[in-house]
Amino acid sequence: MTKSIIYFHPLTFEQQESIRAVAPGYTLLEGNSKNPDLQQLGEAEIVIGWAKGISDTLLRPDSAFRWLQTWSAGIEKLPLERLAERGILLTNATGVHAEPISAVIFGFMLLFTRNLHIAVRNQQNRLWHSDGSESELSDKTVVIAGTGAIGSETARIAKAFRMKTIGVSRSGHPVADFDQVFTTDHIQEAVSQGDFIINSLPLTDETQHLFNASIFSAFKQGSYYINIGRGDTTNTEDLIAALHSGHLRGAGLDVFETEPLPQDHPLWAMEQVIITPHCAGVTDRYAERVVDIFIHNMKSYVETGSPSRNLIDYSRQY
């Protein structure tokens, strides 16, 4: 039987050829995510991306399926228990998003610091006005929950703005460009120091609703919350209460518990909230970067039988 790789996202001819070059003995086939060919999938050893309705075919006991390279960093919507039971190697797209998402994070911070979000609204009303509350990023403290690729890139850029950087991670290990890193069980101590608190955490059992009333109450008065991680890491009702009370001065939100955000949701009407439609990671270079990860992993897979980059630990869910 010919070994095959199936991909579910558009690739250029050059990207396809670069994959073929590192995958001798494999055929590379494009799958249709809306109408997947189950017979074709039943013979696939490697899949790039995911589609609805393919789990039973890929995960049957006699399938050739061995490795899944996701198109996203998030894996919470995948059938993780079944993948783990079958011993499927799972790699994600961590690292693809660092540059575009860090740009969005600083977009939020600069909008809030310079009141540019208010200026845009004033322009729509032809209103010449400033209340004089504009500030600067220099000497402010940014607390970043999640010190991986996105958090590290954000900390690196923050140093150019002469900001103090504090990280929060499960291990608490030192990371370049962070002045200090706290473990997750000391997150309240960390956020109490922040002028800006950035949530770049993945969704796991441990991070579900991690940002709740208890954590928000530990925030510094008048601080800002930015979530570009996963919507379900935040208790939305508690966030709204913190914003209404004035304890939080504002929030920049790219992800939500319910997506799309319902049109009647109260967050839409809050002038101290900036909303983007889960697009912080979108970039015209996305496919290029996922292919780079896959090529690196394919070389390792051919040589050792296992991809070496972004390999998911099922017990940790990341």
Side-chain angles (χ1 to χ4, degrees):
M1 182 184 296
T2 303
K3 297 186 290 186
S4 66
I5 302 168
I6 294 179
Y7 62 95
F8 281 110
H9 296 269
L11 300 177
T12 66
F13 174 78
E14 291 76 13
Q15 289 165 348
Q16 294 174 47
E17 287 300 292
S18 65
I19 290 174
R20 291 189 178 100
V22 297
Y26 286 84
T27 58
L28 181 65
L29 304 170
E30 182 173 8
N32 184 336
S33 60
K34 295 182 179 180
N35 186 26
D37 184 331
L38 297 183
Q39 181 176 350
Q40 183 187 71
L41 277 167
E43 300 174 357
E45 180 177 327
I46 302 168
V47 175
I48 305 173
W50 194 252
K52 291 182 179 179
I54 66 175
S55 297
D56 288 344
T57 298
L58 285 176
L59 297 176
R60 69 190 186 199
D62 61 342
S63 77
F65 185 40
R66 295 293 177 269
W67 169 27
L68 170 61
Q69 168 68 58
T70 70
W71 200 253
S72 66
I75 59 169
E76 67 274 5
K77 294 182 180 180
L78 294 173
L80 295 179
E81 290 187 6
R82 295 182 65 189
L83 288 166
E85 287 173 0
R86 281 276 282 106
I88 302 301
L89 297 164
L90 174 61
T91 54
N92 69 359
T94 292
V96 169
H97 309 87
E99 293 187 20
I101 290 183
S102 61
V104 170
I105 290 169
F106 278 92
F108 283 143
M109 291 201 290
L110 289 167
L111 284 167
F112 284 131
T113 304
R114 302 304 303 162
N115 287 339
L116 295 176
H117 60 309
I118 297 173
V120 170
R121 296 187 184 112
N122 286 345
Q123 180 180 349
Q124 292 173 337
N125 295 313
R126 303 187 181 214
L127 177 62
W128 183 277
H129 175 73
S130 166
D131 64 6
S133 64
E134 288 80 7
S135 186
E136 302 176 11
L137 290 181
S138 57
D139 298 323
K140 296 287 196 306
T141 296
V142 58
V143 177
I144 306 169
T147 59
I150 295 169
S152 293
E153 178 67 2
T154 302
R156 184 188 69 81
I157 297 171
K159 284 301 177 185
F161 282 96
R162 299 190 297 279
M163 301 181 76
K164 180 180 179 181
T165 54
I166 295 176
V168 178
S169 70
R170 187 176 186 177
S171 70
H173 291 161
V175 180
D177 296 311
F178 284 94
D179 297 311
Q180 188 176 7
V181 179
F182 289 84
T183 55
T184 308
D185 57 352
H186 287 87
I187 190 171
Q188 290 188 325
E189 182 181 353
V191 301
S192 69
Q193 303 178 49
D195 298 291
F196 295 90
I197 292 83
I198 316 298
N199 176 1
S200 67
L201 294 171
L203 179 62
T204 68
D205 293 339
E206 293 178 1
T207 63
Q208 176 88 24
H209 280 188
L210 176 64
F211 285 87
N212 54 27
S214 176
I215 299 298
F216 288 130
S217 66
F219 278 33
K220 182 190 293 187
Q221 177 71 36
S223 57
Y224 294 93
Y225 177 61
I226 295 172
N227 188 7
I228 49 73
R230 284 293 180 265
D232 286 336
T233 61
T234 301
N235 185 308
T236 305
E237 291 185 3
D238 292 350
L239 171 61
I240 291 173
L243 289 163
H244 275 311
S245 71
H247 189 71
L248 288 185
R249 189 174 180 183
L253 306 173
D254 183 61
V255 291
F256 305 86
E257 290 189 85
T258 301
E259 295 183 359
L261 190 66
Q263 291 187 348
D264 61 351
H265 200 283
L267 284 170
W268 287 113
M270 302 183 76
E271 293 189 356
Q272 72 273 49
V273 174
I274 302 172
I275 291 171
T276 52
H278 202 152
C279 63
V282 175
T283 171
D284 55 1
R285 297 184 62 185
Y286 197 100
E288 168 192 334
R289 289 174 177 152
V290 175
V291 170
D292 285 346
I293 291 171
F294 181 78
I295 287 173
H296 175 94
N297 277 336
M298 190 68 207
K299 290 177 181 178
S300 176
Y301 184 80
V302 170
E303 292 174 3
T304 71
S306 177
S308 58
R309 184 175 172 187
N310 295 358
L311 187 61
I312 297 299
D313 180 341
Y314 286 106
S315 67
R316 295 188 174 189
Q317 299 174 292
Y318 65 86

